[in-house]
Amino acid sequence: MPEVRHSVCALDCPDCCSVLVTVENGRATRLRGNPGHPVTRGFLCGKVARYLDREYSPDRLLYPLRRTGAKGKGRFERISWDEALISITEELRSISDRFGPEAILPYSYAGTMGYLNGSGMDRRFFHRLGASRLDRTICSAAGSAGLAQTLGIRCGTEPEQFRESKLIIAWGANIHGTNVHLWPFIVEARRKGARLYVIDPIRTRTAELADRHFTIYPGSDLALAFGMAHVIIAENLCDRDYVERYTSGFESLSRRASEYAPERAASLTGLAAEDIRQFAREYATTRPAAIRLNYGMQRSERGGAAVRAIATLPALTGSWRDPGGGLQLTTSGAFQVDRDALEMPGLQAASPLAREARAVNMARLGEALTVLDNPPVKGLVVYNSNPAAIAPNQSLVLRGLQREDLFTVVLEQFQTDTADYADIVLPVTTFLEHTDLYFAYGHYYLQLARPALEPPGETKSNFEIFRLLAERLGFEEQAFHETEDDVIRAVLSGSKGAVRGITLEQLEAEHFVRLRFAGNGDAFLPFANGGFGSQDGKCNLSMENLDYVPPEESRLGEESIRRRYPLELVSSKNDDSMNSTFGHRGFVDEQTSVLWMHPADASERGIEPGEQVRVFNGRGSCLLKARITDGVRTGVVRAPSVRWVKRSPGGKGINVLTSDRLTDIGGGPVFYSCLVQVERCGD
Ligand SMILES: Nc1nc2c(c(=O)[nH]1)N[C@H]1C(S)=C(S)[C@@H](COP(=O)(O)OP(=O)(O)OC[C@H]3O[C@@H](n4cnc5c(=O)[nH]c(N)nc54)[C@H](O)[C@@H]3O)O[C@H]1N2
Ligand SMILES: Nc1nc2c(c(=O)[nH]1)N[C@H]1C(S)=C(S)[C@@H](COP(=O)(O)OP(=O)(O)OC[C@H]3O[C@@H](n4cnc5c(=O)[nH]c(N)nc54)[C@H](O)[C@@H]3O)O[C@H]1N2
Ligand code: SF4
Ligand SMILES: [Mo]
């Protein structure tokens, strides 16, 4: 008899879907979205609807492996768990003894979003070890910092409320591709007359389906936000009452915005001055109007400031008052679980270091592996991430991973590019096979998943692996004896705000639980009556010292660079994959092997459709196939990303081109501030 079990999609996606797994004779036969979940609403995205091909792929890693060939060549032999754990603990101990524990660096991101397997037992382990801490900046650091400066807390409009909106703005947000569970609410709103506007340099699927598409120059959003504020303030379209009661720094914003008349904003953004004027008026006078800001626009040099400025707009217009108004970049700040109980930073005191370890910015991995000293990185433990493919300045990253004196452990489901460089590979479970607790960054439901399937082969969860490593290293603290349920209980019982009162038992029974906002059941309006996360509870509009300077690598940037590399490369997300996670699928490989080019840019270079082109800049070059399309404006090229390096010609992926410069605030990478040149490439 088929049985239906509950799970949660653990991928790095705002939707955090509630998943139903049909199991027959111990084998999953179907995955579908839980119809009972208010945001998942019975469907999954295309990439996860077919996740069972990954779950049961013959390429799944099932046994621990030890490297037998040169680094990067991917030659391994099977070993036992015992052998694997012995060599890892011996190496880590020896590195710690010789160089100090900070010579060990964990490297992880959101391969799974689960608390336990993403930032639970692993953190405890590395804290107790005294390893370097990792500053996890690779995705959202600039935007998070910007949002925190304006709102004081990282939360925003509930997705369900978008159905009430009359004007929806997708700002650097490819909703249809990367956040598809918001889409039905937008469809509903549009049926009732709402308009959808998109601000994106690329004509994405979302832009194609929109009422208007503003093809902004990459990295110029700050100028647009100031231009809009200019019109709103100059034309007296502010909600004066809201501004007076719930904001601070209006004068400062007003002064700054006064310098950005639509004509100036137009010259900086590539939009028409009249369009900016009309758009600002429409935004300020349409109620409710919601902005879905996503992280696309903060992967640029001024990304933090841009988010900071955009986030002032709903306060200026008082849009936070309206169900269906406001802005959503993320909802994650509302999940105030007890992080200390989860990660136990206090364990660092018991480490040989006996103090807080240094922090290493993950966006500068190449530098960390080749330049960093005192101590140098001698041991690298990678999990929930594939840095060989996804980290910027790939040549430097690969040079680091190549080092013979670097001991690398990779916990993986598949033999990724990074796993090819490992000394030891450990096979891990998928989200269908382990317990975890999940927050979301695109809705307000906390969720629990129990294993729906047996772990295949000798796979183990991250949680279990780090506990075993702790045991082998003789760490005796209670922290390493806790079960998954112990940790979940601890994390919940110390939680604050809207998580307070949610229990494991409730999650067990209901699978997903809406955060307990005051007036639960009603629409959650985070800032309808102020209540911002800042010291004074106000929305911080102050824009002192904030001015728009075009990214160095952009069409208005540093002349000496753009003369040689005149095209702005946007290597944004591929609709049918998840960063590099589905790079093993043939059709994903195809989709991520192309470069979108405007017909004018192509013909200027004599490039024909489908032709192989060399894309290059001062950092390196990679080969892609030209897709000639007016889906990009002249001067912009787009590479849907991220392709596996080992499937890319010459072993050079897109991130050979991206720089490891950091954003204005937050220390994030600037993936989308990247100038390149493109040329025909005979064969
Ligand atoms: N299908 C799919 N879904 C995913 C992912 C995936 O790889 N594939 N990845 C997941 C992850 S890790 C994340 S962080 C989220 C990201 O979700 P999004 O932020 O929506 O994804 P991006 O493609 O990075 O960027 C969104 C859009 O911003 C545009 N953009 C680039 N530069 C600028 C700019 O300077 N200004 C403006 N206004 N727009 C700009 C891009 O062209 C892109 O269409 O998606 C998650 N979901
Ligand atoms: N050029 C370019 N580069 C980019 C981006 C871009 O848009 N353009 N986007 C950037 C962004 S926003 C992000 S978030 C990063 C994402 O980069 P990563 O965080 O590296 O994400 P993925 O490539 O999806 O790789 C996640 C890996 O985790 C593994 N995994 C999944 N679950 C588990 C588990 O339970 N345990 C273990 N041990 N492993 C697991 C998967 O098999 C997969 O190989 O890439 C960044 N790089
Ligand atoms: S990747 Fe996102 S949309 Fe797809 S199933 Fe997972 S959470 Fe849902
Ligand atoms: Mo991301």
Side-chain angles (χ1 to χ4, degrees), residues 407-547:
F407 175 70
T408 302
V409 181
V410 175
L411 285 64
E412 253 301 348
Q413 298 163 347
F414 279 72
Q415 189 65 35
T416 58
D417 295 313
T418 310
D420 282 350
Y421 287 87
D423 292 281
I424 304 280
V425 179
L426 299 176
V428 299
T429 43
T430 66
F431 65 87
L432 294 170
E433 300 155 0
H434 54 239
T435 290
D436 219 322
L437 177 72
Y438 296 91
F439 73 103
Y441 62 98
H443 61 67
Y444 289 114
Y445 295 84
L446 187 69
Q447 303 182 84
L448 175 73
R450 294 297 191 187
L453 302 172
E454 285 291 313
E458 295 180 0
T459 56
K460 296 182 193 299
S461 68
N462 294 345
F463 186 92
E464 184 58 23
I465 292 171
F466 286 109
R467 199 165 49 175
L468 284 172
L469 287 170
E471 186 183 295
R472 296 281 176 136
L473 281 172
F475 297 166
E476 280 168 354
E477 288 80 2
Q478 180 56 25
F480 302 107
H481 295 289
E482 288 185 4
T483 63
E484 286 150 330
D485 286 13
D486 292 338
V487 178
I488 294 175
R489 281 184 212 284
V491 159
L492 291 176
S493 74
S495 63
K496 295 202 284 283
V499 185
R500 206 187 200 133
I502 299 178
T503 61
L504 178 58
E505 287 66 29
Q506 188 185 5
L507 285 159
E508 196 88 73
E510 300 172 19
H511 311 291
F512 55 87
V513 176
R514 185 171 185 258
L515 298 189
R516 295 153 57 108
F517 301 113
N520 206 357
D522 306 339
F524 169 53
L525 298 175
F527 312 120
N529 304 301
F532 291 91
S534 52
Q535 289 276 318
D536 59 3
K538 295 188 168 179
C539 180
N540 173 20
L541 305 182
S542 170
M543 295 290 134
E544 286 321 322
N545 309 321
L546 207 72
D547 208 354

Side-chain angles (χ1 to χ4, degrees), residues 164-169 193-195 197 237 278-290 317-319 322 324-325:
E164 308 298 335
S165 303
K166 290 289 172 222
L167 175 64
I168 296 163
I169 299 165
R195 285 145 301 168
Y197 290 1
L237 301 174
Q278 286 302 339
F279 177 43
R281 285 179 189 146
E282 202 175 332
Y283 172 67
T285 57
T286 306
R287 300 195 81 141
T317 64
S319 170
D322 309 329

Side-chain angles (χ1 to χ4, degrees), residues 295-318:
Y295 290 106
M297 45 73 57
Q298 52 93 63
R299 298 187 222 293
S300 67
E301 247 179 69
R302 315 286 296 164
V307 169
R308 212 176 132 186
I310 294 165
T312 66
L313 298 174
L316 277 184
T317 64

